[in-house]
Amino acid sequence: MITPAIVRRNTPHRYRMEAQKCAACGKVFFPPRLVCTCGSRKFKAYALPSEGKVITHTVIRTAPRGFGDEAPYCMGIVELKDGSRVLCQIADCEPHRLKVGLQVTIEFRKIQEAGESGVIAYGYKAVPER
Amino acid sequence: MAGIVGYGAYIPRYRIKVEEIAKVWGADAPSFKKGLMLREKSVPGPDQDVITISVEAARNAMKRAGVSGAKVGAIYVGSESHPYAVKPTGTAVAEVIGAVNDCHCADLSFACKAGSEGMFLAYGLVKSGEVEYAMGIGSDTSQGAPGDALEYSAAAGGAAFLMGLKNVVAEVECQYSFMSDTPDFWRREYMHYPRHGGRFTGDMAYFKHVRGGVEGILKKAKGKPRDFKYAVFHQPNGKFPMKMAKDLGFSDEQMKTGLLVPTLGNTYSGASPLGLSAILDEAKPGDRILMCSFGSGAGSDAFIFTCTRELPKVQGKAKKTRDYLDTNPFYLDYGTYVKFRRKIRKNVED
Ligand SMILES: [Zn+2]
């Protein structure tokens, strides 16, 4: 269940795709982590680009609880212009149009709601170029 | 001189045609289309609301302005469909564009003129020197009650304007507001859909207040309708702004660029701001634009803008309003539309 604490904690990376760049070796992590593979704990905030292409994809037909109204919906790994890869939903996309190499941009969308009266979680989704 | 340094629009990709709504309610589509000058309207996707639309419009405005989000000292989002009844929309916009934490933020409402109110406040703050940059956004995903005339027009979209003093793309030459307490359209607390005063919404509300705004600003600026290359008025349908233009002495030529409503529908707080954004996409240095919003309740905010030599440099830096409106829309049937708009009563998942 989505909670106010989860929404707040995820705000930098979910809202503005803020990744972390290791100050020692330059490796980029998204979502953020505490320690780099090189052992360094020093990171700088780094904003991911918002354009990319789909490199692999699937269609979710049996959705987890809370997402049933959206099924069938598309998920994929998107390679962004700087080479970073993110896993996200591909919105505004009919399943038959999904293909490797599909050009997408990242848009800000509603991800989930904690029922009719709870908090609303927002984040990034990829959408095909119009 | 203070003015717009960056502007941006966002319109969802889904549409529904007037025929599709009319056939469900036994209404006569051709007479609706002719009477209201309305062919189709935009519909937000199931994962879109005023927060997501405001964010995308704001991002486009920031792309054009090319300034750091940290310099934005105030953000005002005007809407009548804020996702939360209590909890602001503007804070989410501020997080996304990086304006946190040094920023003043407030949500506004005044039916369809809430967007131009944000522009008015943002302009006043940068002009006074209180903040370096300030953003005004008008955005809505309003709903009409099923079967009501408003269901044919209530649409989704928004536009954002970053105001500042440096590298201004359109200077604010003059501003004027006109209002009275007029109950032409309202929504009471806890009600899903708004109500309106039927024919009362025309002469006593829209036409009186848009006329008041336009005549007031022309008097203040000592100008005439022919002084402007473009004009844009609030557009709840196609008929109202075109009749208003004719009565006030503006030509079809002046109105056509900013008139998006025939294929967009009424985006409420986003309506005249989106029209202005479409004009800015095309305007040239030296062109003058007259904008007049309208909000039920009732009032209007009028602005006169003069485009500068900076404008052509930013026009191509973000997606244009007409590209959002005209490129590859997805058409919905009425069933999918009511599902998207959550008009179907379901059992709550436990
Ligand atoms: Zn490292």
Side-chain angles (χ1 to χ4, degrees):
Chain A
M1 187 67 155
I2 198 82
T3 66
I6 293 170
V7 168
R8 181 59 222 168
R9 193 184 316 132
N10 289 329
T11 294
H13 87 269
R14 293 260 170 88
Y15 276 41
R16 49 180 183 266
M17 294 194 83
E18 198 171 284
Q20 281 178 319
K21 200 171 214 163
C22 173
C25 75
K27 198 165 178 179
V28 172
F29 293 98
F30 184 81
R33 52 189 281 170
L34 290 173
V35 188
C36 180
T37 46
C38 78
S40 167
R41 287 170 178 268
K42 276 194 184 147
F43 293 96
K44 273 193 296 197
Y46 165 76
L48 293 177
S50 58
E51 275 107 37
K53 60 175 194 282
V54 172
I55 58 166
T56 184
H57 55 78
T58 188
V59 177
I60 308 290
R61 297 179 192 278
T62 309
R65 176 175 291 189
F67 294 86
D69 286 356
E70 293 184 52
Y73 60 88
C74 306
M75 295 284 298
I77 294 178
V78 172
E79 186 173 283
L80 299 170
K81 278 204 164 144
D82 68 346
S84 309
R85 290 173 175 192
V86 296
L87 168 70
C88 61
Q89 193 176 330
I90 301 162
D92 295 357
C93 183
E94 294 145 315
H96 70 268
R97 299 196 320 129
L98 198 55
K99 61 173 199 285
V100 170
L102 183 70
Q103 295 292 319
V104 291
T105 45
I106 299 294
E107 284 195 6
F108 192 72
R109 297 291 176 106
K110 192 157 67 180
I111 307 290
Q112 201 178 349
E113 294 175 28
E116 280 199 359
S117 60
V119 288
I120 308 169
Y122 294 91
Y124 53 88
K125 290 185 186 178
V127 296
E129 301 269 338
R130 289 195 197 186
Chain B
M1 206 178 202
I4 298 166
V5 299
Y7 67 95
Y10 187 83
I11 299 167
R13 193 161 174 181
Y14 300 94
R15 304 283 182 277
I16 187 165
K17 290 182 186 283
V18 163
E19 288 87 348
E20 186 63 26
I21 301 173
K23 82 179 180 199
V24 174
W25 299 107
D28 183 43
S31 68
F32 255 104
K33 289 171 79 171
K34 193 161 171 281
L36 297 176
M37 286 174 65
L38 196 69
R39 298 197 292 278
E40 58 195 61
K41 67 165 189 172
S42 65
V43 180
D47 58 357
Q48 294 183 299
D49 61 19
V50 160
I51 290 184
T52 69
I53 290 169
S54 301
V55 161
E56 290 301 323
R59 276 178 164 166
N60 284 332
M62 295 303 288
K63 279 184 199 166
R64 287 201 172 94
V67 302
S68 157
K71 289 187 174 175
V72 179
I75 297 176
Y76 303 107
V77 184
S79 180
E80 59 168 66
S81 43
H82 291 290
Y84 288 96
V86 177
K87 197 217 155 293
T89 295
T91 47
V93 176
E95 286 281 358
V96 174
I97 67 168
V100 288
N101 299 105
D102 294 327
C103 189
H104 183 258
C105 209
D107 285 0
L108 306 170
S109 71
F110 190 145
C112 299
K113 91 170 182 78
S116 61
E117 284 170 349
M119 295 167 67
F120 170 79
L121 294 179
Y123 162 66
L125 285 170
V126 300
K127 190 183 174 189
S128 72
E130 192 65 29
V131 300
E132 192 175 0
Y133 294 101
M135 187 177 275
I137 303 173
S139 167
D140 254 308
T141 58
S142 296
Q143 300 229 37
D148 188 271
L150 286 177
E151 191 181 23
Y152 294 86
S153 59
F161 299 88
L162 187 71
M163 301 290 184
L165 294 170
K166 275 179 288 187
N167 298 322
V168 169
V169 302
E171 292 176 349
V172 177
E173 209 183 292
C174 191
Q175 197 284 325
Y176 175 78
S177 293
F178 181 91
M179 56 77 72
S180 71
D181 189 51
T182 303
D184 58 315
F185 173 98
W186 62 92
R187 180 167 63 83
R188 295 273 301 272
E189 186 101 275
Y190 309 119
M191 295 292 122
H192 274 293
Y193 302 113
R195 293 185 56 180
H196 53 84
R199 292 191 177 275
F200 182 70
T201 57
D203 289 343
M204 295 298 290
Y206 180 89
F207 292 107
K208 176 183 166 181
H209 293 84
V210 176
R211 177 184 288 278
V214 173
E215 288 180 347
I217 201 165
L218 289 176
K219 191 176 169 203
K220 191 173 169 184
K222 298 185 177 65
K224 292 200 163 50
R226 65 164 182 271
D227 301 340
F228 301 91
K229 177 78 185 289
Y230 302 98
V232 58
F233 304 148
H234 177 54
Q235 35 202 275
N237 52 57
K239 193 176 119 186
F240 276 26
M242 293 313 284
K243 181 180 185 318
M244 187 81 266
K246 204 174 168 206
D247 290 355
L248 289 167
F250 290 88
S251 68
D252 291 1
E253 192 62 27
Q254 287 167 300
M255 296 294 290
K256 72 174 188 195
T257 309
L259 193 77
L260 308 177
V261 63
T263 51
L264 173 62
N266 179 7
T267 51
Y268 289 61
S269 303
S272 51
L274 273 166
L276 175 64
S277 74
I279 290 170
L280 291 172
D281 281 338
E282 281 193 17
K284 293 187 172 59
D287 286 347
R288 294 172 79 208
I289 304 163
L290 190 149
M291 169 188 172
C292 186
S293 65
F294 168 72
S296 290
S300 61
D301 297 318
F303 293 87
I304 292 173
F305 299 99
T306 307
C307 302
T308 74
R309 281 184 295 185
E310 299 297 318
L311 180 62
K313 298 177 193 167
V314 308
Q315 284 167 326
K317 286 186 176 174
K319 196 192 276 281
K320 293 186 172 182
T321 306
R322 276 280 172 192
D323 290 340
Y324 278 115
L325 186 59
D326 300 339
T327 316
N328 300 321
F330 292 137
Y331 287 100
L332 301 175
D333 55 33
Y334 192 81
T336 311
Y337 160 74
V338 294
K339 179 187 169 190
F340 275 21
R341 302 298 354 244
R342 297 191 184 178
K343 294 179 194 229
I344 301 174
R345 197 170 293 174
K346 291 182 64 197
N347 278 338
V348 180
E349 274 185 65
D350 46 24

